[in-house]
Amino acid sequence: MFADELAGNPAKKRADEARARRLRAKREKQAKQRRHEEEKKKASASTIASYATQNATSISESKDAKAVFDQAQENRNAALNITSGGDEKSAAAIAESLAAPELKSAAEKAAEQRKQRAEQRVATRAAVTIQSIIRSKQTAKIVRREQRAIFDKRIGDLVALSNILKSKSNQEYVAPQATVTTMVAQFLFFAVPTLRDSALASDMILLGDDLSRWAQLVKYLLLPGVCGNNNIDLDPILPWMESLAGSRRFEKILTLCVKNIAFDHGKANRTKNSCCAIANSFMRAILRLDGNTYTGGGRDRVYKRSCSLLLPASATDSKNCDLFLSLRATLFFGPSLNSSPIPVDADRLHFSADRRERAGTLVKLVLDLISSLETSGAEQMAICRLSSRFLVEILTVPLFSLKVISSSYDCLVREGRHGPSPLLVLYIRRFLSCNGDNLLDGGMETVLYNPDVSLNECNATPVLCLLGTLVQLGRASSALNGKSPSEIQYKPAAEYYNFLALLINAAPLGTFSSRMSAVEWVYNGSSSTPIVLSSAVIDQVSAIISASTVRGLFNCAIDNDALGTKTTLGNKTSKDKKHEQDLEELGSTSAANVAAKEAMTDRTNSIWRSGWAKKLQSLISGSGSSGIAKPTKIPSLSNGAGKLLNTSSISRQLANGKGPVDRTVTNAVMASEESNKTASELNHSAPRQDYSITLFFALCRVYCSILSRWGGYGKHDLVNRPLPEKQDKDHASATTEKCVTALLNVLCFSTSLLETAWAVVQSNPRVVSDLYAVIDVRKRGEAIRTLSSDPLYNRSVHTLGEAEGNVGAVILYIFTACLCHTLIVTDDVEIHDMEKPLPKHQLRRLILLQKKLLYRACCLDDVHEGTSKSQSVTSNSFGVALIAISANAMSDLYSRSSRRLLCSPKLWIEEDLLEKDMKRCKTHQDFISLLSVPICRICPFLVSYKCRLKLFERIVTTNRTEIQGSNELRNLRPGIMCTVNRSRVLEDGLAHLNKLGRDLRQRIVVSYLSEVGARETGVDVGGLFKEFWTDLSALAFNPDYALFKVAEGSPNMSMYPNPLSKLAHGQDHVVLFEFLGRILGKALYEGITIQPQFAHLFLSFLRGDHSYLHLLTDLSTIDTTLYNNLMFLKTYEGDVNDLCLNFTVSTDDFGVRGSEAEVPLVEDGVNVAVTNENKRSYIYLMAKYHCSDRIKEQSSAFTRGLWDVIDRSWLRLFNEPELQVLISGASDGRIDVADMKSHARYTGGYTMLDRNIVRFWSVVNKMSPKHQADLLRFVTSCERPPPLGFSSMNPPFTVQRIGIMRDGEKLPSASTCFNTLKLPTYSSEKVLRERLIYAIESGAGFELT
């Protein structure tokens, strides 16, 4: 045995191994079973937890406890089924997971078990919570049901008792305080918890039977103790003030009153309306409104507590019962809180009567409460804050006047106990006292910002909504709307309209846009979203610019008798008479001749430029060594305002815009010279006793803001000063909106604003002072471009409509805008013969004033040390628009003066402009840069014509030198050869030169062939080319060539493109006009004066800015017959229908009338009759057709050719007559022999005192103008002198001595390249005359040299 054991028994070993395998398999099976059970438990626990969460969520959202309990039971059974393995799919999944061999350590198994136990505990707690909630809900529902039944029984008994007592003794039953407290607490117990579990918890809106219970509670328990004159001890509210619980109870009562007036989620019925009325009566009672005497004892405490809860001074202190928040919510979203702030069809929508009634109840309650606080002696600052909250939070609601019944806000627009001012103006005043400091920097949008409603929800900004509301409220107030002059309150109305001006400047740019949809961009960081502004709100705002409103307001605001308008405009000072005398001295001289004379006037040598003269001038003006003018005694402004003082120093400073001028001097400038006139002589009728000009100022602010932002002048800064920052969005439109044009029509043609405003500019001391600060750089440290039209309010100035700010600039802007608009329909006859729209001496005064303003804006602002700090200030749309409109008005007047003189040329000029700048320039780019300076871009007419001619000459000369070279620099380039036959000048010129285009700036070298084809001996160093170009221009512009036509009745044979050129030359006429444009451009480029005189309208085309506003006047220069006919039609007082006209024009081409004989001026014009209403349009279209449409193709071709050689920016320095002088010199063609003699040079032995030279000038003086021109052509190849006179001729006019033995040896000859006359030494003056005339009349080429 022992041996067997030692040797080992294989059979036993095998048996042991088999038993071990069985045991191991059994243990593995048991482990698999345990894992399977654990997986089942885990799945059960997770399922129970998820169902518990679902049940908790459903319980919080469910209103029926029994349904919640049933659902929880079903979920629990489902979870138990899963736990017990009833789910076959889950069991199969678990078995599958157990099939995988998985051996875990003991630590992992212990952790897994702990996790399972924790999950089990969570599931158990969730189940307990579910059961607890369900039980509490069921219990609370049962208890509230029981309490409602008890409350109904009690309230029924009280109602019956009250009815019995009232029927027996006609007295109200007042319940004991304990009873009221108990029943109120009971009601709050079963009503408020229900609200907390509903979606209306935040609004505390009662529904169903609870609403009727609430009405009975207030009516039979609260109101009798509050409204009756009973013992104060019976007041049910007084005990509540003694405890915190009572105070909270009172707050809940007020919240229920406010919320259930403001909101309603059901259909309107009698019970709900009754409840609103009862709640309103209760609040008005405890707030001491409607004459209720809720005073004495602890009621003062209740009153103060009610006021603080219902009307907190700040939105941050508000409670649920805040009247402002509830009123704002119901106005925005309606009683049901599901309406849009601005419905899509708001312009056609009529809001429901119930909605308007509810909102009106709260509005009246708020307004009455604020008024009662004022009478009760509340703190004034608190009242101001409440009024400001009403304006910021309530009146910024869109369509306020449509959402509220008018009777509720009637107290806002009528005169109240506060005086003649409407309550609305008082609220505005209080708002400004609270927020005036924040408005100084244009912070209206910040002050009115309300984050509770975004622009995405309400498509109208708060500023726009407030503006629309105030406009509608103002229209409802007889003290503000201007419908009756006897009812208007001037100073309150001025405050109101000054505030509207602030809002208009802060309103979105789409407010008065003519587009179909006005868009405002909402910026969200780096992105932006377009929002289409509400058309309904915009329509409310647009009422301010309706014709009837504007007409009525200005008729009330303007009293010309009180302002002395007629006297101011009619007075003439000695300065005015001097200007008229200067104009009379010019006589009938044409504008072109005046310009030519001005070009040769040397202003730099005036004796007043010398040092001793300046000193004498300062002594005469009383300035002394300090250089500051002494104050001048001012005549009374009330007697004949508007005159210029007859003081030489003041007149000189006024004309030149220079020198120190004291404020008193400026006032004297605008004062009357005839101070001895009495008031009876100045006024034709007695003015209104209560009249105040402050309303006129305020209205000018309002409409000036509209004109400057939407008139097309306020967007682009013409001065182009460098700015430190850029605005995020546009503040002004780039084009004139249609509403602005309509507004200007009313202002100009339905009111006397134009005359009144200009009279006020001259006579009102405040306006004069403000304008002086604008034009004098030392009196105002900010640039004109930074001016604002806003009235500047502060805490010390916020009453009686006295708003600070530069009202003078505002009056000047609106006057200038009206003047520009009126000049559109005013022809030259009306200006000069009828003195419309203003007398001519007043237009001269305007020129002087606007000259100073533009000079400062273009030359001094941001440059002068007095305005250096303004470089860090952003331009304002009003300041930018003021510069632009002033430049526009001055350009218009300057253009009219170019046709028929309004004043002497020196009146426009500001001395010394550009002189120093030109001296610093050396190269072409330096001179070109001067064209971009503001004075040249905006108002070149302030620069003397001579200086502008010099600038043009320097630009052309330096550019020509760069391209062609010069003899002086010895770098003359070869140039382009051109051989010309004298018998084919035009044909050869067209063939060789028209194809060059811009290369015409290069040097052209001309070689002449005689008429017989022989090459002439002359060498072109410039003279031959000038001769060729003079001959070429004479042929090309000959009217017989049918390209140009002489204007009818023109004294100087002025020409314009022939409308029938196409019939004469076919399609080639466009090419010919381009070539003619290049001919003119090359002549200007080479400094060659040529013969053609052009019509005024064609010269406008050449400048590149042809104005369509003066077409009727332009027509008078080319067709006087048609012009007279149209003027007859314009002034025809009968029925135009009798003339049988239609909107067509008849054409007569060389007497051939075809199918196109009648050209329609409008679509289907043959069927559109001319009437009294549309005759102005007919006149304009007729003038446009003849002055523009018929010659548009020819003019466009001509300017293309011209601008190939001469940049259009170079030509914009000049007006039309000045451009004509640049082209051909003085229009009369006369040569100034004295000027020619003074600038002549002598060579070869001649001197100025030589007898032959004396004879020569004697002969020239006695020559006819034609022979003088022929002489000049003989010597220089040009028969007209340079525009700047002989001083600018290069090379200068030279006479060279040629010695001869006998008179017959030689004839006078010339070297045209060097402008040299080779004059032989003849024996007598007679011989010299005969030989000289023979030489210049021979017409030969170089045969005589």
Side-chain angles (χ1 to χ4, degrees), residues 905-922:
K906 63 183 179 181
L907 202 66
W908 299 94
I909 298 172
E910 189 70 29
E911 300 292 346
D912 296 337
L913 287 181
L914 292 185
E915 292 285 353
K916 295 181 180 179
D917 299 296
M918 289 178 59
K919 291 179 181 178
R920 289 194 297 265
C921 295
K922 302 298 180 182

Side-chain angles (χ1 to χ4, degrees), residues 538-549:
I538 291 177
D539 288 342
Q540 285 192 328
V541 176
S542 299
I544 193 67
I545 59 174
S546 65
S548 58
T549 300

Side-chain angles (χ1 to χ4, degrees), residues 504-513 515 520 704-717 727-737 740 813 875-882 884:
I504 289 173
N505 278 329
L509 191 57
T511 304
F512 295 105
S513 174
R515 298 171 180 166
E520 179 74 0
C704 176
S705 300
I706 296 174
L707 294 176
S708 61
R709 288 194 62 195
W710 288 276
Y713 292 101
K715 182 175 182 180
H716 301 295
D717 187 356
Q727 296 180 346
D728 294 335
K729 54 184 178 181
D730 293 336
H731 192 257
S733 63
T735 58
T736 303
E737 303 291 350
V740 171
Y813 181 90
S875 295
N876 187 282
S877 61
F878 169 72
V880 171
L882 178 60

Side-chain angles (χ1 to χ4, degrees), residues 914 917 921-934 936-937 951 955 1210:
L914 292 185
D917 299 296
C921 295
K922 302 298 180 182
T923 65
H924 175 69
Q925 290 302 323
D926 293 339
F927 288 107
I928 283 291
S929 65
L930 293 181
L931 295 178
S932 61
V933 299
C936 290
R937 289 187 292 103
L951 176 59
I955 290 174
W1210 303 356

